[in-house]
Every structure is written in C-alpha cells, then in structure tokens.
Amino acid sequence: MAITASMVKELRELTGVGMLDCKKALAETDGDMEKAVEYLREKGLAASEKKAGRIASEGVCLSYLNDDKSVGVVVEVNSETDFVAKNEEFQGFVNAVVNQVAEHIANSQAADVEALLAEAWKFDTSMTVAEALSSKVAVIGENLKIRRFEKYAKEGNGTIVSYIHGGGRIGVMIEIACDNVTDAVEEMGKNVAMQIAALNPQFICVDDVPAEFVAKEKEILTQQAMNDPKNASKPANIIEKMIDGRLNKEMKEICLIEQPYVKDGDLTVKKYIESVAKEVGAPITIKRMVRFETGEGLEKKEENFAEEVAKAAK
C-alpha cells in the first residue's frame, strides 16, 4: 500500500512521534493506522514522546579515542536530572552513543544528530539510534536527548587528545599537528585541553577571529568609550588608541594561544607550546579544538517540591 503524506501527518498527530518514524511504522504495518500506533508503542516511541517536552539540561559529556589516536569523538547526551546523569544505565548508553559515532567516522556518515538518529543502532541493527534512545527513555523514565557530537579523523602527522572534566561536565578534544609525537607532546596536549576546559577560548589564534567579529567588538568598545564622561575631553586619537588597547586585551582573552598558561602565569600558551616543540625538535600546531559544557545555553529545570506534592495530591 502506498504511504501518503496525509497518512504520515495523521499518525504524527495521533502519537506525537517524528515524521520519519511514522512513515516507517506505516510501511511496516501496510498502512494500518491502528497497527502503526501499536508498532510505535511497542518500539517505545509513542510513550517516550510524552516526556519529550520536559527539559533535559543535565547529563554528561564523554569522549572516545581509538588505539593510535587517529580518531576521536566527543558527545553530549542530556538527561533531566543530575541523579540520572550519574546512573550506570544512562552512562552505559552514552558510552554506546560515543561508539556509534566512532563506528562511522571513516566514511563520514552521521554529520549531525538528525543523521545519527536515523542510523541503524550498531548494538541491535533491527532498530535505529532514535528507537534505541526512546527505549532507554522508557527504561529510565526521563526525557533524554543526544544533543551534539564532534568527531575528528586525524589529518597528516600528529595526534588527537581528549579531556573530560568534572565527571563529564566539560568535554574537550583537540587535534595536534606534529611530526614527532612523543610523551611530551601528549602531555602538552592534555595540558592545553585542560586550559580550554578552564578558560573557554573561542578561537585558537587571532588569525582565526572573523573580521566581522572584530568589527562588532570594536563598535561596542567605541560606543562604551563615547558614553564614558571621563573621555569627553580626550582627543580622538587617544580614544582610538585606548579602544585598540582594549580590543587587543580582549583578543588575548578569547584566543587560546594568547591566553596566560594556567599552569605557569609567566608563559602564554603559545610560549608553552613552543618550549615543548623545541624539546621534541619539531613544530607543534593546534589545528582544531572543540569544547562542550553540559547544558550550556539550555534552560535549567527548576524543581519545586511543594508544587510537585500538591499536583500529585490532586
């Protein structure tokens, strides 16, 4: 039986399940609406959708590196509560998601979360990643979300380093270019990853900062200077130098290699990397970096125990 868009729409309205899953359910049941609903319920999808509106802003970041550190993955998976985030069942699922992403890195599948959810679940190929997620929601009883991931496949000589901070609160991954990867380079990578976790740089170096970003920041600093009564009598060239000084200071704060090195304030990160490069006899470059912080940018769920009890009583 041909599955029409109106049938998919109707099933979606009945169950609240995503369009792709609805289409698959109708195909599996030869267009029988009742059987399609049962199919989705059996897969745990219809039940899990009831929890989908609940805010999932806790969770963990987790990373994976293969044996020769040529492949790296970092993911963030969210739960509703910190209690579940520490749950062994949840953490096992996050570890499985990391392995799922790493499995397909060689041929560049799963470029985003939507593509990942549509893939066959490597631990049970009879279901998709989305169905595995819904099944876990049914078991754990909270809304869970695979929020984001980043995957690196090493390009040229060097290594990939990952660092997880605070039991999964922050996940960092970097790719290092170097022709002589030694223990000293690996240690340097860990230290730089810790720096990224601590100070959250937005860019690796000044050259990476987009021109429009610099222009906008300069516009803001100029407006601040114009609004400051103390600058009213200062010549324009002095104000311009003052703005440039503030802008340069900001660039040093947001650019990794310009930051003061957290383990030795007398050095910048750039000077620290150069010292290790001299030790190993080969240039070292931080090619790319990613930093995830669990729940950043998400609305936090606020619990009111009295209200919860009152609702339960009603």
Side-chain angles (χ1 to χ4, degrees), residues 257-268:
I257 66 171
E258 302 298 336
Q259 291 179 337
Y261 177 43
V262 289
K263 286 192 170 184
D264 184 346
D266 293 332
L267 296 175
T268 60

Side-chain angles (χ1 to χ4, degrees), residues 210-227:
E212 57 269 25
F213 181 95
V214 175
K216 186 63 178 177
E217 289 305 301
K218 189 166 185 177
E219 180 185 328
I220 292 169
L221 291 171
T222 300
Q223 196 61 49
Q224 289 175 351
M226 298 287 287
N227 292 338

Side-chain angles (χ1 to χ4, degrees), residues 248-296:
N248 289 334
K249 181 182 178 184
E250 183 177 338
M251 290 301 108
K252 289 179 180 179
E253 291 173 353
I254 65 174
C255 295
L256 170 65
I257 66 171
E258 302 298 336
Q259 291 179 337
Y261 177 43
V262 289
K263 286 192 170 184
D264 184 346
D266 293 332
L267 296 175
T268 60
V269 173
K270 182 179 181 180
K271 291 293 184 185
Y272 167 60
I273 293 173
E274 287 174 348
S275 71
V276 178
K278 185 176 180 181
E279 178 187 337
V280 302
I284 298 172
T285 304
I286 308 299
K287 292 185 70 173
R288 48 183 171 168
M289 66 177 185
V290 61
R291 179 188 187 274
F292 291 162
E293 184 166 351
T294 303
E296 62 186 337

Side-chain angles (χ1 to χ4, degrees), residues 87-100:
N87 177 281
E88 189 175 326
E89 178 98 19
F90 174 77
Q91 298 214 352
F93 176 71
V94 180
N95 188 63
V97 171
V98 169
N99 279 275
Q100 175 81 24

